[in-house]
Amino acid sequence: MLRLAGARLLDERDGQAVRAVLTADPVASCMVAARVESAGLDPWRLGGELWGCDLRGLRTVGRIDALCFAGPNLVPLRGKRSALRAFADRALRRRRMCSSMVGPAEQVLGLWAELENDWGPAREVRDDQPLMSISTTPLVTPDPQVRQVRPDELDRYLPAAIRMFIEEVGIDPCVGDGGAGYRARVAELISGGRAFARFEGGEVVFKAEIGALSSQVGQIQGVWVSPDHRGHGYGAGGTAAVAQRLVAGMGRTASLYVNGYNAPARAVYDRIGFTQVGQYATVLF
């Protein structure tokens, strides 16, 4: 029986094979595809490394049997048990740099099983995150007051982004560097036209961002409604507005993933017209 070789660093010679993996499941691979499409496979420009596994002795043009992105997040996209073990071996050769593992649940949980003894305990393991998408007009009327955030509105938008992050991730993004890194990331999203909000009285009452944008898919992240305005449809109308911008305005499929235990959010996404197309998992460090 042919066996997988150890994980290796991919380069531009593997571009065709990498793109074949990414286009096979464009919703699940959106985060990595967005990086590869804009930066290629060079680690310095990519902001991380792409690892692959091939059948031993068979480096076939146009084919990779397993794929994993190692950068700010560790994202295993394809690979059976032997490949995940090879990715774990490569990850353990260096100090852990990622803040989380995220991606298709089978790969994430399988890779975590290989890494847990050395990298654990995790701060949290979210093993049930439905991956959802919509490529048609939302069933909920988009909120006409949700719009792109302007660069000069960064200081008004940032507090809402920080509150969302704390609620969702459980840590303050301002710890460590005083928030400089997170502020820069939010400013980058705003300048790229990928941050959306509804303002009332100068305050953000709804926000969301397009965190990753490939040629086929836009992944919505950071959906948040001010606590004082929850239960009044802001989340549904606002998310529908962002999804409509992706589908009708940008010609993309809109996607997102949600914690399985968040029944209210799941119900909102179902009502908008999102359908489940996969299963994600996240390991937070």
Side-chain angles (χ1 to χ4, degrees):
M1 179 183 295
L2 292 171
R3 300 174 61 190
L4 286 170
R8 63 180 177 84
L9 178 64
L10 303 180
D11 57 36
E12 294 295 344
R13 293 173 295 174
D14 302 292
Q16 179 182 344
V18 169
R19 290 171 179 85
V21 173
L22 299 178
T23 57
D25 191 346
V27 175
S29 63
C30 175
M31 288 185 287
V32 177
R35 287 177 174 267
V36 170
E37 288 174 6
S38 64
L41 272 64
D42 176 75
W44 187 85
R45 292 185 293 116
L46 188 63
E49 297 180 346
L50 273 176
W51 302 339
C53 290
D54 313 289
L55 290 170
R56 192 178 303 277
L58 296 177
R59 181 172 178 170
T60 306
V61 175
R63 172 174 173 174
I64 289 176
D65 297 284
L67 182 66
C68 181
F69 172 74
N73 303 304
L74 193 60
V75 187
L77 288 176
R78 175 185 288 186
K80 297 187 181 300
R81 185 174 179 180
S82 59
L84 297 176
R85 187 177 300 116
F87 290 147
D89 289 343
R90 189 173 184 101
L92 291 172
R93 292 178 202 152
R94 60 183 190 178
R95 181 171 61 89
R96 178 178 65 79
M97 303 293 291
C98 59
S99 60
S100 70
M101 292 172 51
V102 61
E106 181 180 359
Q107 280 68 44
V108 167
L109 298 176
L111 183 54
W112 178 236
E114 300 290 339
L115 292 170
E116 185 174 8
N117 286 340
D118 295 276
W119 281 9
R123 185 165 56 82
E124 185 178 357
V125 177
R126 300 178 178 179
D127 58 2
D128 177 19
Q129 296 181 308
L131 177 65
M132 311 182 76
S133 73
I134 183 172
S135 56
T136 58
T137 300
L139 302 179
V140 170
T141 301
D143 184 345
Q145 295 190 52
V146 170
R147 59 171 176 80
Q148 287 179 321
V149 180
R150 301 189 306 266
D152 65 305
E153 294 174 314
L154 172 61
D155 288 333
R156 283 198 287 164
Y157 183 82
L158 186 61
I162 292 171
R163 292 178 69 184
M164 176 282 303
F165 194 96
I166 293 172
E167 286 185 24
E168 175 63 23
V169 183
I171 60 174
D172 188 341
C174 298
V175 172
D177 65 355
Y182 188 67
R183 180 186 177 90
R185 171 58 177 159
V186 172
E188 179 184 16
L189 290 168
I190 291 175
S191 66
R194 288 160 52 187
F196 299 82
R198 173 172 175 157
F199 292 88
E200 289 188 1
E203 300 294 325
V204 174
V205 298
F206 168 85
K207 66 162 290 293
E209 297 135 8
I210 302 171
L213 184 66
S214 73
S215 60
Q216 298 183 66
V217 180
Q219 189 176 85
I220 300 171
Q221 68 174 28
V223 177
W224 181 86
V225 177
S226 170
D228 294 340
H229 294 78
R230 292 174 185 173
H232 300 287
Y234 287 92
T239 305
V242 181
Q244 178 72 352
R245 179 60 178 267
L246 279 164
V247 172
M250 305 175 74
R252 263 80 161 185
T253 294
S255 78
L256 51 79
Y257 59 100
V258 59
N259 291 314
Y261 57 76
N262 192 344
R266 177 68 187 270
V268 167
Y269 301 142
D270 287 341
R271 186 153 55 91
I272 292 170
F274 282 89
T275 58
Q276 184 170 354
V277 296
Q279 187 78 6
Y280 257 29
T282 301
V283 179
L284 297 171
F285 300 117

